[in-house]
Amino acid sequence: MLEKHADFLRDFRGDTVHPSTLIIMKELGFLDEFLRLPHQKVFELQGWFGESHALMADFSALPAPCNFVAMIAAVGFPGIFSPPKGARLKTFRLMMRTQARSLIEEAGVIVGVNATDRTAR
């Protein structure tokens, strides 16, 4: 996990966790604990465009319990949740002050990332 800054306290960081991320957390066995954190569930997105109403996304058709977008405080994920949970996985590594620059691809498969470590600056 790469974090460009020295901490996770970003006012601009999005506060959404999408169904695909929820599915990964379920597969890793972290979903139940994650869902105990304060959050709101968004099952659909809709809006008005002038006089027209439009349903832009409906997550409720996805398999439960990952059929919504979780709205959670940015510091809750990843600042509190991911590093402690990820540290339990032997392949997890958290790199603070590190910015991704490009992906490393071999035979059409992403196998890594080129990154710049900013701790020396």
Side-chain angles (χ1 to χ4, degrees):
M1 179 177 176
L2 304 181
E3 172 56 46
K4 179 179 174 182
H5 301 281
D7 58 42
F8 290 106
L9 303 174
R10 305 272 83 70
D11 288 338
F12 58 84
R13 185 183 301 279
D15 297 330
T16 60
V17 180
H18 294 256
S20 57
T21 304
L22 296 172
I23 290 168
I24 291 169
M25 285 194 283
K26 181 180 178 193
E27 291 171 354
L28 293 171
F30 300 158
L31 184 62
D32 290 339
E33 188 170 351
F34 172 76
L35 293 177
R36 285 194 289 271
L37 294 172
H39 69 282
Q40 293 181 320
K41 297 178 180 178
V42 177
F43 291 95
E44 61 182 36
L45 299 174
Q46 46 185 302
W48 287 91
F49 300 93
E51 302 269 330
S52 300
H53 178 260
L55 177 64
M56 296 178 283
D58 182 359
F59 304 107
S60 66
L62 297 172
C66 304
N67 58 345
F68 60 92
V69 171
M71 303 291 285
I72 187 167
V75 72
F77 182 85
I80 293 171
F81 184 74
S82 292
K85 291 294 173 206
R88 296 180 189 171
L89 304 171
K90 63 182 177 181
T91 57
F92 179 84
R93 183 172 169 203
L94 172 61
M95 299 172 70
M96 302 298 290
R97 298 184 59 121
T98 303
Q99 184 172 2
R101 295 289 180 196
S102 63
L103 298 174
I104 301 170
E105 186 176 334
E106 293 178 3
V109 176
I110 305 298
V111 296
V113 63
N114 288 308
T116 302
D117 181 347
R118 300 172 58 195
T119 57
R121 294 181 189 175

